[in-house]
Amino acid sequence: MDWHTLSWHCCIWTSICTIAFGSTGCVRDNEDYPQETMAAFERIDSIMSIHDHIIADKEQQLNQMRMLQHELDDRGRVGLYHRLFEAYYSYDFDSAAHYARLKYDAALKIRDTHTMAQAKVNIAKTELASGNEIIAMDTLKSLAMTDTARYADIRKGYYDAIANHQFAKGNRADKEFQWLIDNAKPGSKGLAYNKVAYLRSQGRHKEALEVITANRERLTRDIHGIAMADFVTAQIYLSLGDTVGATQLLANSSIHDLMSPVRDYTSLYQLATILFGNGDVDRAYRYLTFATKDHYASKVNNNLLAINNMMPVIISAHDKRNYERTRLQTAMTIGIAILAIALLIVLWFLYQQLRRASRANRAKSLLNERLVIASKRLKSLNHTLTQSNTTKDAYILQYLNLCSYYIDSLDRYRNNLRSIARTKGVQQMLDHLNSSNLHDRELKEFYHNFDTTFLRLFPDFVERFNDLLEPDKRLVMPAPDTLSTEMRVFALMRLGITESDRIATFLRRSTSTIYNYRVKMRNAAMGDRDSFEEKVMKIGQ
């Protein structure tokens, strides 16, 4: 069963339903299409935009094939003409008929009656496609009366043409279809399609759907096969009342028809018919006009009735839609012009008001700027005072704690000396007084209190300080919550003690040692070394 005959019959049926009833019966009017269907529409539009290039490539391939006929003998030309016939079929039926006749003439020269019969079947198929039913049927009947009818492929071609012709006219062809099914090669595409057509002709659409679904993998191994399988499945869906599913399949079939390319495709203008029934006039008009252009290029006549019936209706609806849009645009243009004039008048009055307001705003703006500057200064001062108060409070508390601690320590120390003098004598008391252990222990406790208090006030001081140094010069603290001597120097500077002699007294170091620490850290600083200590003073602000 060939693609062209299937498409011809189904398109006429759908077209008549659409024109008679305004819809295919099951379409969800004016509802959005599924996302997959919209993607297929976009793909169709994309291929249509480059279709001229696809056709040009096809013409170049056909021209290369035609050039081979000058290099072949008559037997070689038979095979070439057959390939040209198949290449032109559904693309340009006049050319397909021309090469079918050349195939017949070449077969006649080499006296190959079998090939001559094959050529006659091809000629009959092109005549049917061109609408010359009487000539085609006479050719087939005359062929059946010759001895070449004994060949299986000739009989298959004869029954296939008769069955398809009757199916296209809506008549039953049970005998012909049954012969085609009985004599088909098991697992062949022809067997599957003839079973489907036979079941559909009897109204057994669900069974037909099961057959084509079961054979889909075998039928869709190339672009043309996908187009044909989707088209036939879409016809079954339409018969079962599923127009939404049929729309998706027709869109997929149209994509592969356009890519093949063929020119006598039915999927696209049948899709246009359904879209028109949905109220999608613009897309239906675009698809139908595109399909009609290629349809006339293919020089096939048997779809002209359906196309001629659809075209005036869709064109009229499209023109009416455009007229309504033009009228709406005109009304909108007039309305916009009126609004623009009114807006200009309003703007003029606003401009006058704005000029007066502008002078007041400038004075207000100047005052606001001054207020903002004063507010920023006040905010900065408040922040400084808050930070200073926080530091002061922390150190007052720490000072009180230390005072209390040292009073307790002195009292313990006095009691200890009294106990030593009473139990061990004056010499032991003098030895205890000469020992530095108490001094070292108290100094260590003092540094620990300083480190803890400072890091509570400036918890990120160590990290921020190291960020100011070169990576390989950064300081490592001896223990958590403990500052190194170098770090204590700059901790004291951060607290406002910047004189080296005061820092030296506090840390029990010489003034030169403190100076060397400061020089060492400035030399290790990143960027401007002169501003290093200034940056340290800003840590925590």
Side-chain angles (χ1 to χ4, degrees), residues 342-357:
L343 181 60
L344 287 174
I345 296 172
V346 172
L347 288 175
W348 185 83
F349 282 107
L350 287 176
Y351 174 71
Q352 297 300 321
Q353 294 294 328
L354 288 175
R355 286 185 62 188
R356 289 191 289 269

Side-chain angles (χ1 to χ4, degrees), residues 224-329:
H224 181 68
I226 296 172
M228 187 170 181
D230 284 343
F231 178 82
V232 174
T233 308
Q235 308 315 305
I236 299 174
Y237 274 37
L238 287 173
S239 299
L240 294 173
D242 185 359
T243 308
V244 176
T247 301
Q248 177 65 54
L249 288 166
L250 288 171
N252 292 340
S253 179
S254 299
I255 290 171
H256 293 91
D257 273 343
L258 292 167
M259 291 172 61
S260 297
V262 296
R263 278 173 164 165
D264 178 37
Y265 36 73
T266 306
S267 298
L268 191 59
Y269 53 78
Q270 187 172 354
L271 176 62
T273 305
I274 294 177
L275 296 178
F276 178 72
N278 275 342
D280 193 352
V281 176
D282 290 339
R283 186 177 279 112
Y285 176 80
R286 186 167 66 252
Y287 289 175
L288 184 62
T289 53
F290 187 92
T292 302
K293 180 186 70 174
D294 270 2
H295 178 80
Y296 280 107
S298 71
K299 303 179 183 67
V300 63
N301 297 321
N302 59 5
N303 280 336
L304 284 178
L305 177 61
I307 292 176
N308 289 336
N309 286 334
M310 285 189 292
M311 281 296 290
V313 178
I314 294 182
I315 290 175
S316 175
H318 183 262
D319 290 344
K320 182 179 179 181
R321 178 75 59 85
N322 287 340
Y323 172 75
E324 291 174 352
R325 287 175 178 169
T326 302
R327 187 174 63 177
L328 179 61
Q329 288 174 354

Side-chain angles (χ1 to χ4, degrees), residues 3 47-48 50-62 86-92 223-224 227 253-265 290 294 298:
W3 163 250
I47 298 173
M48 284 168 56
I50 60 169
H51 193 56
D52 289 343
H53 298 289
I54 298 175
I55 292 296
D57 291 341
K58 171 101 175 183
E59 291 289 350
Q60 184 178 6
Q61 294 172 8
L62 292 171
E86 291 186 334
Y88 274 107
Y89 197 77
S90 294
Y91 180 75
D92 183 339
I223 292 177
H224 181 68
S253 179
S254 299
I255 290 171
H256 293 91
D257 273 343
L258 292 167
M259 291 172 61
S260 297
V262 296
R263 278 173 164 165
D264 178 37
Y265 36 73
F290 187 92
D294 270 2
S298 71

Side-chain angles (χ1 to χ4, degrees), residues 101 219 235 389:
R101 294 187 182 94
L219 301 175
Q235 308 315 305
N389 289 335

Side-chain angles (χ1 to χ4, degrees), residues 131 292 302 398 421 432 494 516:
T292 302
N302 59 5
Q398 186 65 17
H432 188 73
R494 176 62 185 86
N516 290 335

